Amino acid sequence: MATIEECRAALGKLSDNMRGAEGEARAAAAMDRSVSCHITDLDVTFAGRLTGGRIEVDDTRPGVPREKAQIRLAMAGDDLVALVGGDLNFATAWGSGRVRLEASLLDLFRLRKLL
């Protein structure tokens, strides 16, 4: 089971990957939205913003998100680490229910270019 520190590092790596994106993915990463990532097996939520092509984590709280972010992810810590490490395909994980992604329809269309 991934630790909180490993999950935070994975979010940092994801943020770095997004900053290096090109083309349509770069445009999608440039959104300005509130973001939350609930790590289900640790029952902790990372909350912050997607802004300037990066994810900035402002807060880590126990439990489910207290406020509804514009982009909401939920998954096990090991799945987050595997996704960012390239060992787990997002579409497969999302289709099987291992990863939950909730956002507006417009944001989902933009995010698909990143994922």
Side-chain angles (χ1 to χ4, degrees):
M1 181 164 81
T3 66
I4 291 174
E5 293 78 19
E6 290 170 322
C7 292
R8 182 179 293 278
L11 286 171
K13 183 178 178 184
L14 176 61
S15 182
D16 291 343
N17 292 347
M18 289 171 55
R19 179 164 247 174
E22 297 179 2
E24 290 182 353
R26 183 179 197 91
M31 295 188 302
D32 183 16
R33 300 285 187 270
S34 59
V35 177
S36 68
C37 181
H38 182 232
I39 306 301
T40 55
D41 55 338
L42 298 175
D43 196 27
V44 66
T45 298
F46 295 94
R49 290 201 74 77
L50 170 60
T51 184
R54 295 188 56 83
I55 298 171
E56 297 176 3
V57 175
D58 300 326
D59 197 10
T60 305
R61 300 178 182 165
V64 296
R66 293 184 183 136
E67 298 173 7
K68 188 175 179 181
Q70 292 167 304
I71 299 171
R72 299 167 301 283
L73 289 161
M75 68 193 81
D78 287 342
D79 289 339
L80 173 62
V81 171
L83 279 169
V84 174
D87 299 322
L88 180 62
N89 178 279
F90 179 82
T92 302
W94 180 66
S96 68
R98 288 174 63 178
V99 173
R100 287 189 321 247
L101 171 63
E102 297 177 26
S104 72
L105 188 58
L106 181 59
D107 287 345
L108 288 172
F109 281 124
R110 290 180 183 155
L111 288 170
R112 73 181 165 88
K113 295 173 185 167
L114 284 172
L115 307 170

